[in-house]
Amino acid sequence: MPAKSSARPSAKSRPAYKCAECGWTTAKWVGRCGECQAWGTVEEVGTAPVRTTVAAPVREPARPIADVDVEAARATSTGVDEFDRVLGGGLVPGAVVLMAGEPGVGKSTLLLDAASRAASSGRTVLYVTAEESAAQVRLRAERIGALRPRLLLASETDLATVLGHVEQSNPDLLVVDSVQTVASGEVDGAAGGVSQVREVAGALIGVAKRRGMATLLVGHVTKDGSIAGPRTLEHLVDVVCQFEGERHSRLRLLRAVKNRYGPTDEVGCFELGEDGIVGLPDPSGLFVSGTPEPVAGTCVTVTLEGRRPLLAELQSLVSTDTTPGNARRVTSGLDASRMAMVLAVVQRRLGVALGNRDTFVATVGGVKLTEPSVDLAVALAVASAAKDRPLAAGTIALGEVGLAGEVRRVTGVPRRLSEAARLGFTTAIVPKGSLGDGPPPAGLRVHEVETLHDACAAARLVSS
């Protein structure tokens, strides 16, 4: 009697499931990816093939690390100082940079300016526009003064044609705007899909590495502000930059989320105007009102954007009439929940009546402040507005406020105080122990405080 064959499939023939966002694989279907935690992205990809890679002949033997030539990895300046600051000195040959940001924030304008400056230095630049026509890009280039003979422009959406342009023009710098609008005829699906974005990015990255050609890719963002497309796109590129800014504000901030060639804590500041984007090496003046006389409800603080100290003014307004029921709490440029916590501490620890009074707190210039170091400035601005008593001219305050009313230390205080002294401020209120053993900057009187009450006493809002 013949033996019965086993009906259970072997491990080699079991179907595999793969996440379309990050590439995570599993033997059975799940609703949520175990790696990137995305819902509904795990799909069946068929039987997982078993491959065995054999050793291949070595074309170039391994060398001692000290014998490796480093000239191939030297960064070349883009001509935009603030862009170079974020990149870590400039563009490295063969590096692939992904520039992400919301629509209308100025990504295309910044990259067109950088491409123009690279072309004016003698390098050949190929600018591929897949979203706009060549005439539209030419009008923008004329408006910002970016017309250069060595800046080549191509309006293409097909990946094969883009690669053909690269072979024909042999550029030193390639700009693709944007990677989500270029499609490959070899892959099914519409442009911008997961498979299309992965194929296009992989092909562009491969040709960039092979030719030693620096490449700038423009990427879209989703509604929550993250980079659209598969998460593997962020892992494939060398640098990921995030371009931020309010639509109605002149300020634009460029941050490096990932950087293989430099730091990730640097921030580039730009001003967007009719003539294009201009770098701001000293943007502190944008966020200080500059009123000649002190006004009740205002306080200046120093925040750190990356490693750069930035002065920002906080303004508060507390209504004089009480409001029946729940009073309004309105903020602009600050985290609403953190502001509510600071208001509760001010009311409880300082005895300032805010329960039935409308309170408004905003930043000057539309800057967003998320650091805990702005807590003390918020508290002093609200106390000043409630008492209708302005702080002394030339006063700054920085520190984190706890629920017990204590003022906690923050990082980078000497750097912040040096920036305040450079801009002419004479008095600083900081947490106790912030200076350490070092002296304060020349011309700056520093009050080290332990509690919120001590800070208000130093600001002459309450009696000591």
Side-chain angles (χ1 to χ4, degrees):
M1 185 175 180
K4 295 182 179 180
S5 61
S6 176
R8 188 177 63 178
S10 64
K12 294 185 179 181
S13 62
R14 289 179 183 174
Y17 297 86
K18 188 175 183 180
C19 175
E21 288 290 328
C22 65
W24 177 73
T25 58
T26 179
K28 62 180 181 179
W29 182 87
V30 291
R32 188 176 189 180
C33 174
E35 180 69 22
C36 66
Q37 304 300 317
W39 288 96
T41 58
V42 179
E43 302 173 351
E44 184 176 355
V45 294
T47 304
V50 179
R51 297 186 179 95
T52 303
T53 303
V54 298
V58 178
R59 297 186 227 173
E60 184 177 353
R63 294 175 292 169
I65 190 171
D67 297 341
V68 177
D69 185 17
V70 298
E71 293 301 322
R74 297 290 185 188
T76 304
S77 173
T78 62
V80 183
D81 294 337
E82 293 298 301
F83 198 11
D84 291 342
R85 176 197 294 266
V86 177
L87 293 176
L91 288 171
V92 176
V96 180
V97 180
L98 177 63
M99 178 77 69
E102 295 182 354
V105 75
K107 305 182 299 294
S108 301
T109 305
L110 174 61
L111 294 187
L112 184 59
D113 184 32
S116 170
R117 294 175 184 270
S120 62
S121 64
R123 288 176 284 177
T124 302
V125 181
L126 175 60
Y127 191 103
V128 177
T129 171
E131 294 186 351
E132 301 174 292
S133 65
Q136 289 174 315
V137 178
R138 200 267 186 196
L139 288 176
R140 183 188 298 118
E142 185 177 3
R143 176 170 55 87
I144 66 175
L147 298 178
R148 298 290 185 271
R150 299 184 70 90
L151 176 55
L152 309 179
L153 181 61
S155 178
E156 298 291 347
T157 59
D158 180 64
L159 175 61
T161 308
V162 172
L163 297 178
H165 279 290
V166 172
E167 294 292 334
Q168 183 179 17
S169 57
N170 191 24
D172 301 301
L173 173 63
L174 172 65
V175 182
V176 179
D177 186 8
S178 67
V179 68
Q180 276 95 354
T181 52
V182 178
S184 172
E186 304 296 327
V187 179
D188 295 334
V194 174
S195 56
Q196 284 285 359
V197 171
R198 185 181 289 113
E199 175 68 20
V200 171
L204 294 176
I205 293 171
V207 72
K209 300 298 183 183
R210 186 171 63 253
R211 304 174 68 94
M213 172 185 63
T215 303
L216 299 173
L217 305 178
V218 177
H220 295 166
V221 296
T222 58
K223 292 181 179 180
D224 60 355
S226 60
I227 300 175
R231 293 295 301 273
T232 51
L233 180 60
E234 300 179 43
H235 299 295
L236 291 174
V237 298
D238 301 305
V239 183
V240 179
C241 292
Q242 193 82 22
F243 210 33
E244 306 171 354
E246 294 291 336
R247 184 177 295 271
H248 303 291
S249 174
R250 297 179 299 168
L251 180 70
R252 299 291 186 267
L253 297 179
L254 182 64
R255 307 175 188 271
V257 181
K258 168 190 175 181
N259 194 350
R260 289 175 177 167
Y261 308 113
T264 56
D265 56 353
E266 282 287 3
V267 176
C269 297
F270 299 87
E271 184 177 10
L272 182 63
E274 297 181 356
D275 298 330
I277 286 185
V278 181
L280 295 176
D282 189 10
S284 293
L286 292 176
F287 315 120
V288 180
S289 60
T291 55
E293 296 294 333
V295 180
T298 63
C299 183
V300 179
T301 187
V302 186
T303 183
L304 283 180
E305 289 291 346
R307 290 186 292 180
R308 166 182 288 181
L310 191 68
L311 264 72
E313 182 176 327
L314 294 163
Q315 296 183 342
S316 176
L317 180 64
V318 179
S319 64
T320 56
D321 300 331
T322 58
T323 304
N326 294 328
R328 298 179 64 191
R329 300 287 187 261
V330 181
T331 180
S332 175
L334 297 168
D335 181 65
S337 59
R338 192 161 191 90
M339 188 202 74
M341 183 196 71
V342 174
L343 294 183
V345 175
V346 170
Q347 182 174 359
R348 181 67 178 86
R349 304 301 176 186
L350 295 180
V352 178
L354 298 173
N356 296 326
R357 303 168 69 180
D358 295 338
T359 305
F360 306 87
V361 183
T363 59
V364 173
V367 64
K368 287 186 176 180
L369 302 180
T370 58
E371 261 198 307
S373 64
V374 304
D375 290 351
L376 184 58
V378 172
L380 293 181
V382 171
S384 172
K387 296 176 179 294
D388 197 19
R389 187 183 304 172
L391 276 69
T395 300
I396 67 162
L398 54 97
E400 181 183 357
V401 176
L403 294 179
E406 77 278 12
V407 180
R408 303 171 183 168
R409 285 187 291 178
V410 295
T411 59
V413 172
R415 194 185 315 158
R416 302 175 197 247
L417 296 182
S418 298
E419 179 70 8
R422 184 182 70 85
L423 295 176
F425 286 83
T426 57
T427 305
I429 304 175
V430 300
K432 188 173 182 180
S434 299
L435 292 178
D437 298 331
L444 188 65
R445 182 183 179 186
V446 179
H447 297 276
E448 294 186 289
V449 298
E450 291 183 336
T451 65
L452 185 56
H453 186 276
D454 296 340
C456 289
R460 300 179 182 177
L461 296 178
V462 298
S463 58
S464 57

